[in-house]
């Protein structure tokens, strides 16, 4: 541990000059990262190296990140001539490097080398004209709104008899989609799935709050000391490691798929394998793709025009360029595998992995259709084999578990140099234990139903189901402690990387099995509230939209931001005042000023706590028009056209039969 006195002797990691004022006065503003190096033996630099050696918890303090108005700070170092555009950019970068180098040499006797230039610009930049892509998206939105308007008018004016033959024309009706959104979920007398909706919303809230902190770490922080000190706090580890809840989504997806098919088996229905596979996958693609592709299209077209700021270019425009180049991988659900280091809407790796694992789960369920008891043994063997394979890969390639993967410097580079993210986190292989756990849960549940075993009668199971909720949360928060502080050992890191998801899935599976079998618990009653249904249907849109919304807010900040327990719940509005609420009081304050300052600081902290729900609220509100105008209309149109096709086939099949009857007569 480094004392505070020595810590604050090190150079400040992040700094931003006034952006808008600099450009408004035709100044030159540059943003980039620098690597420090000493000219000889240097005690402070050695301290920085020792501190940065704990790369799991600390930033690399030998690298600085600056956004400077170089024309104001280092006017004396300005280039003397104005060459061509390419040479001009190089001259501005050299000016930027010389400015930072002069500052670090004077203050710390350390030289600075520019190793990553984000941009250098002089004066305010005029936006370009609309591209063909942007015009096409605007036209698509106009057509979509026109369809919704026409369909809504038809829905409000046609009689009930006329609507029966024109269901396809009413697919885009806003009132019709609203009724679909609020429709109660189907109920089953044998399986209680009410908790699934509440669990889906709760997990989505966990993902959003974790991403709020993740995006803030992605930008410039005002006080890295506070962030690094709280990194090993139990609540901070719970927050950083909470991305394990994504395994619940994989479990629910594969469970509901297998549960639906196994219900058909219990009813004695015949299921043609090939037709069932393609019909189910088509339904899944139609369920996910429309909203997904619209958001990707927006990101590749209009997103870059949504704001500005010193961090807008590295955070937003860089991602927009990636979306424009790899949009086709999203259409094929391969964005988590093809060009995996290039992140466009990073949260959509889940949609690709889920689609891939959904197909695998469907194949396994159909392959094990005739196996009842044997299916459980086969799935258990596959789960054990996947864990062994993940351990072997993690040990061979030195991969790390989730908490270590979310280390500060890795987050800053969006995991571009972190193989664990590509192999363990976003790949279908790394998430196959969650999908297999869902399949295993479905087959075990139906085996219990076939055997007429009521688990809620057993006291030991009731205790296990209720306690599994707390144990799963404890595992998320405390599992990183198994590796100790600092760089983890190779074997321990590989073991935790392979086991953290299956162990979490096991406890979640026990809790879900208890909820389905009627084991009473406070959390089960909370999640089974009927009011979760609408929120659960909007969770998909919130997943798509929360990161672009929050990232736009972060990229538009004009100053570094504080990140701690209080400011982790901030949406916007108090970003600029966070430093006031956490900074020491100036000595020149009078007692009245002192009292007023404390009132302002306390009010800001209360606002921060209240605004934790800001990102989630805005995301769910934005998901509402996406659901009403894109997601639900596509599903309703597909159902209407499918019903029309079935009716047509039925009539064509009945036509020869009617002809024979008439001939016989």
């Amino acid at each position: 541990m480094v004392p505070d006195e020595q810590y604050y002797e090190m150079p400040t990691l992040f700094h931003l000059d006034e952006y808008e004022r600099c450009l408004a006065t035709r100044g030159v503003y540059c943003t980039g990262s620098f690597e420090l190096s000493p000219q000889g033996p240097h005690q402070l630099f050695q301290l920085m190296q020792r501190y940065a050696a704990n790369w799991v918890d600390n930033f690399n303090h030998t690298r600085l990140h600056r956004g400077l108005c170089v024309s104001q700070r280092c006017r004396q170092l300005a280039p003397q001539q104005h060459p061509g555009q390419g040479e001009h950019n190089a001259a501005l970068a050299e000016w930027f490097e010389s400015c930072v180098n002069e500052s670090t040499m004077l203050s710390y006797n350390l030289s600075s080398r520019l190793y990553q230039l984000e941009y250098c610009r002089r004066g305010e930049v005029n936006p370009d004209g609309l591209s063909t892509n942007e015009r096409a998206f605007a036209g698509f939105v106009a057509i979509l709104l026109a369809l919704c308007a026409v369909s809504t008018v038809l829905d409000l004016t046609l009689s009930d008899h006329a609507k029966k033959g024109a269901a396809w024309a009413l697919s885009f009706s806003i009132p019709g989609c609203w009724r679909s959104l609020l429709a109660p979920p189907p109920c089953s007398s044998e399986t209680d799935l009410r908790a699934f909706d509440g669990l889906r919303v709760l997990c989505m809230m966990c993902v959003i709050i974790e991403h709020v902190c993740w995006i803030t770490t992605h930008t410039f922080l005002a006080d890295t000391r506070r962030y690094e000190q709280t990194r090993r706090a139990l609540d901070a580890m719970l927050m950083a490691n909470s991305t394990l809840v994504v395994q619940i989504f994989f479990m629910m997806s594969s469970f509901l798929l297998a549960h639906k098919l196994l219900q058909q088996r219990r009813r004695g229905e015949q299921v043609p394998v090939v037709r069932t596979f393609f019909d189910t996958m088509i339904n899944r693609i139609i369920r996910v793709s429309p909203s997904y592709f619209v958001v990707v299209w927006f990101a590749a077209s209009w997103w870059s025009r949504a704001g500005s700021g010193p961090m807008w270019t590295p955070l937003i425009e860089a991602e927009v360029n990636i979306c424009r180049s790899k949009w086709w991988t999203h259409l094929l659900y391969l964005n988590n595998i093809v060009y995996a280091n290039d992140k466009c809407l990073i949260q959509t790796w889940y949609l690709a992995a889920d689609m891939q694992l959904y197909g695998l789960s469907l194949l396994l369920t159909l392959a094990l259709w005739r196996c009842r008891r044997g299916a459980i043994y086969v799935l258990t063997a596959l789960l054990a084999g996947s864990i062994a394979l993940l351990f072997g890969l993690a040990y061979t390639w030195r991969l790390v578990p989730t908490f270590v993967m979310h280390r500060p410097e890795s987050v800053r580079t969006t995991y571009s140099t972190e193989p664990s993210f590509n192999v363990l986190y976003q790949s279908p292989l790394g998430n196959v234990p969650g999908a297999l756990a869902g399949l295993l849960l479905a087959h075990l549940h139906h085996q219990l139903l076939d055997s007429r075993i009521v688990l809620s009668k057993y006291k030991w199971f009731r205790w296990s189901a209720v306690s599994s909720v707390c144990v799963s949360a404890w595992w998320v928060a405390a599992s990183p402690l198994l590796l100790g502080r600092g760089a983890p050992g190779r074997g321990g890191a590989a073991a935790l990387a392979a086991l953290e998801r299956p162990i979490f899935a096991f406890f979640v599976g026990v809790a879900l099995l208890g909820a389905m079998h009627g084991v009473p618990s406070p959390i089960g009653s909370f999640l089974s509230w009927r009011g979760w249904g609408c929120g659960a249907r909007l969770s998909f849109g919130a997943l798509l939209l929360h990161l672009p919304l929050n990232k736009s807010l972060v990229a538009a900040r004009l100053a570094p931001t504080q990140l701690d327990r209080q400011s982790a719940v901030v949406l916007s509005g108090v970003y600029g005042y966070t430093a006031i609420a956490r900074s020491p009081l100036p000595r020149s304050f009078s007692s009245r000023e002192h009292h007023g300052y404390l009132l302002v600081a306390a009010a800001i902290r209360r606002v921060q706590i209240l605004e934790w729900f800001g990102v989630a609220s805005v995301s769910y509100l934005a998901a509402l028009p996406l659901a009403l105008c894109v997601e639900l209309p596509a599903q309703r149109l597909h159902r209407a056209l499918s019903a029309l096709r079935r009716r047509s086939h039925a009539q064509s099949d009945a036509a020869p039969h009617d002809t024979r009857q008439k001939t016989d007569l």
Side-chain angles (χ1 to χ4, degrees):
M1 296 294 294
V2 175
D4 288 347
E5 183 179 359
Q6 291 184 337
Y7 184 91
Y8 289 109
E9 289 179 357
M10 296 188 291
T12 303
L13 276 182
F14 304 101
H15 178 82
L16 289 175
D17 280 348
E18 289 188 73
Y19 177 77
E20 293 182 342
R21 180 177 181 179
C22 180
L23 297 185
T25 56
R26 295 290 301 167
V28 175
Y29 198 96
C30 297
T31 301
S33 300
F34 295 82
E35 192 163 23
L36 299 176
S37 59
Q39 304 299 317
H42 200 289
Q43 186 175 0
L44 178 61
F45 187 78
Q46 293 173 355
L47 172 67
M48 294 159 59
Q49 286 182 315
R50 289 197 302 271
Y51 190 75
N54 181 10
W55 46 268
V56 176
D57 303 320
N58 302 333
F59 287 97
N60 185 351
H61 284 255
T62 66
R63 293 182 171 182
L64 307 182
H65 312 277
R66 295 289 184 264
L68 301 181
C69 184
V70 293
S71 57
Q72 180 181 1
R73 280 184 171 267
C74 304
R75 195 183 306 271
Q76 72 281 4
L77 299 176
Q80 299 299 319
Q81 55 185 355
H82 300 282
Q85 181 65 31
E87 297 178 357
H88 179 62
N89 292 336
L92 293 182
E94 185 177 353
W95 187 7
F96 183 32
E97 184 176 40
S98 301
C99 182
V100 175
N101 183 66
E102 182 183 64
S103 173
T104 56
M105 286 297 295
L106 290 175
S107 301
Y108 305 100
N109 194 28
L110 292 171
S111 62
S112 302
R113 179 184 64 85
L114 178 65
Y115 74 90
Q116 182 175 351
L117 175 68
E118 302 294 352
Y119 66 87
C120 275
R121 61 174 58 110
R122 183 190 296 272
E124 296 181 347
V125 179
N126 296 322
D128 298 330
L130 295 181
S131 65
T132 303
N133 186 27
E134 292 168 331
R135 293 176 187 272
F137 184 81
F140 165 78
V141 172
I143 294 173
L144 188 65
L145 294 177
L147 285 173
C148 292
V150 172
S151 186
T152 300
V153 171
L154 292 175
D155 191 15
L156 297 176
T157 56
L158 291 178
S159 64
D160 293 340
H161 178 73
K163 290 179 182 179
K164 293 180 180 179
W168 60 271
L170 305 178
S171 301
F172 288 83
S173 168
I174 298 299
C177 292
W178 180 257
R179 291 190 294 269
S180 299
L181 183 65
L182 299 182
C187 299
S188 172
S189 58
E190 293 183 330
T191 304
D192 186 359
L193 299 178
R194 293 176 300 168
F196 277 55
D197 285 342
L199 185 60
R200 187 175 289 111
V201 176
L202 180 63
C203 291
M204 194 67 246
M205 296 292 286
C206 292
V207 170
I208 290 176
I209 187 58
E210 195 279 333
H211 283 164
V212 168
C213 300
W214 178 83
I215 292 177
T216 306
T217 309
H218 201 64
T219 183
F220 283 18
L221 296 182
D223 187 359
T224 54
R225 178 62 161 175
R226 190 182 305 276
Y227 172 83
E228 292 167 338
Q229 284 180 329
T230 58
R231 170 88 170 147
R232 286 288 175 169
L234 198 63
D235 57 342
M237 289 191 295
L238 175 65
M239 184 70 66
N241 216 28
S242 62
T243 51
L244 286 177
V245 301
V246 177
Q247 298 305 306
I248 298 179
F249 291 127
F250 287 115
M251 287 183 64
M252 289 194 295
S253 177
S254 60
F255 171 84
L256 293 174
L257 167 68
H259 175 63
K260 181 180 178 180
L261 292 174
L262 293 177
Q263 279 184 316
Q264 294 178 274
R265 187 180 70 178
R266 296 188 75 225
R267 292 193 296 262
E269 299 179 11
Q270 295 296 323
V271 177
V273 175
V274 177
R275 180 179 176 181
T276 300
F277 176 81
F278 284 103
D279 286 348
T280 305
M281 290 304 300
I282 289 173
N283 288 334
R284 184 68 173 180
I285 292 171
I286 291 175
R287 163 70 178 85
V288 175
S289 297
S291 296
Y292 177 25
F293 294 166
V294 167
V295 173
V296 171
W297 193 1
F298 169 79
S301 55
W302 285 86
W303 190 16
S304 60
R305 296 179 180 270
S308 64
M311 299 301 298
W312 193 264
T313 295
L315 289 184
I316 304 299
E317 293 182 3
E319 186 167 350
V320 168
N321 292 332
I322 293 175
C323 292
R324 290 172 178 171
S325 64
K326 65 172 295 185
W327 57 269
W328 59 273
T329 64
H330 292 265
L331 299 185
L332 299 176
Y333 290 94
L334 295 174
N335 51 292
N336 63 328
I337 298 175
V338 180
Y339 304 122
N341 287 328
D342 299 330
K343 309 297 191 300
C344 165
L345 300 176
I346 190 172
Q347 78 278 17
T348 59
W349 71 263
Y350 162 75
L351 299 179
D354 180 68
M355 187 65 72
Q356 295 153 8
L357 291 175
Y358 193 84
L360 175 63
S361 300
L362 180 56
L363 286 174
L364 283 174
T365 304
L366 294 174
L368 298 173
W369 178 262
R370 298 185 181 277
C371 302
R372 292 184 180 268
R373 295 180 181 275
I376 296 177
Y377 297 111
V378 172
L379 292 172
T380 303
L382 289 175
L383 180 58
S386 67
I387 295 173
L389 177 60
L390 290 174
F391 173 78
L393 293 176
Y395 187 84
T396 303
W397 295 342
R398 297 181 179 273
L399 306 179
V400 294
T402 302
F403 178 78
V404 179
M405 183 193 70
H406 290 321
R407 60 187 181 272
E409 289 295 335
S410 183
V411 171
R412 277 199 49 78
T413 59
T414 322
Y415 313 104
S416 59
T417 59
E418 179 53 73
S420 301
F421 187 87
N422 294 336
V423 178
L424 295 179
Y425 192 79
Q426 71 172 0
S427 72
L429 176 61
N431 294 286
V432 74
L436 290 174
L439 292 179
L440 190 57
L441 179 63
H443 282 82
L444 178 60
H445 171 63
H446 279 265
Q447 182 63 42
L448 293 171
L449 292 178
D450 293 339
S451 303
R452 300 185 182 278
I453 297 176
V454 182
L455 289 177
S456 57
K457 293 182 178 180
Y458 300 93
K459 185 176 180 179
W460 66 268
F461 180 77
R462 293 198 301 269
W463 278 101
S464 300
V466 174
S467 61
S468 291
V469 177
C470 299
V471 175
S472 62
W474 172 86
W475 175 254
V476 173
S479 58
L481 296 176
L482 298 174
L483 299 179
R485 287 185 173 272
R490 183 176 181 179
L496 185 57
L499 290 172
E500 60 178 350
R501 292 173 181 83
I503 291 177
F504 177 73
F506 170 77
F507 291 118
V508 171
V510 173
L512 287 176
L513 195 60
M516 290 185 293
H517 283 255
V519 175
S521 69
I523 185 66
S525 301
F526 173 72
L527 295 177
S528 298
W529 177 50
R530 292 182 59 184
W532 293 120
C534 179
R537 292 187 177 96
L538 293 176
S539 293
F540 175 60
L543 171 69
L544 291 171
L545 295 173
H546 77 277
L547 267 182
L549 289 170
N550 194 24
K551 201 168 189 178
S552 298
L553 293 170
V554 170
R557 297 177 193 170
L558 300 177
T561 304
Q562 182 70 34
L563 178 60
D564 54 21
R565 290 180 177 87
Q566 288 79 24
S567 57
V569 297
V570 173
L571 165 62
S572 62
V574 297
Y575 281 135
Y577 303 101
T578 306
I580 299 177
R582 304 299 298 177
S583 60
L585 296 174
R587 296 179 181 177
S588 59
F589 267 24
S590 65
S591 59
R592 179 176 297 179
E593 291 171 326
H594 181 107
H595 180 67
Y597 181 94
L598 292 179
L599 288 177
V600 171
I604 289 171
R605 288 169 186 167
R606 286 195 295 270
V607 171
Q608 290 172 344
I609 294 173
L610 291 174
E611 289 193 355
W612 171 74
F613 299 99
V615 173
S617 300
V618 173
S619 300
Y620 273 91
L621 286 175
L624 182 59
L626 186 67
L628 294 178
C629 298
V630 180
E631 180 182 344
L632 293 174
Q635 296 175 26
R636 285 159 54 88
L637 180 62
H638 174 63
R639 285 196 297 267
L641 294 178
S642 298
L644 212 65
R645 187 175 63 251
R646 287 194 298 269
R647 192 180 304 119
S648 175
H649 289 332
Q651 292 175 354
S652 63
D653 291 341
H657 178 69
D658 294 341
T659 303
R660 285 195 301 270
Q661 284 182 336
K662 292 179 181 180
T663 304
D664 293 340
L665 287 174

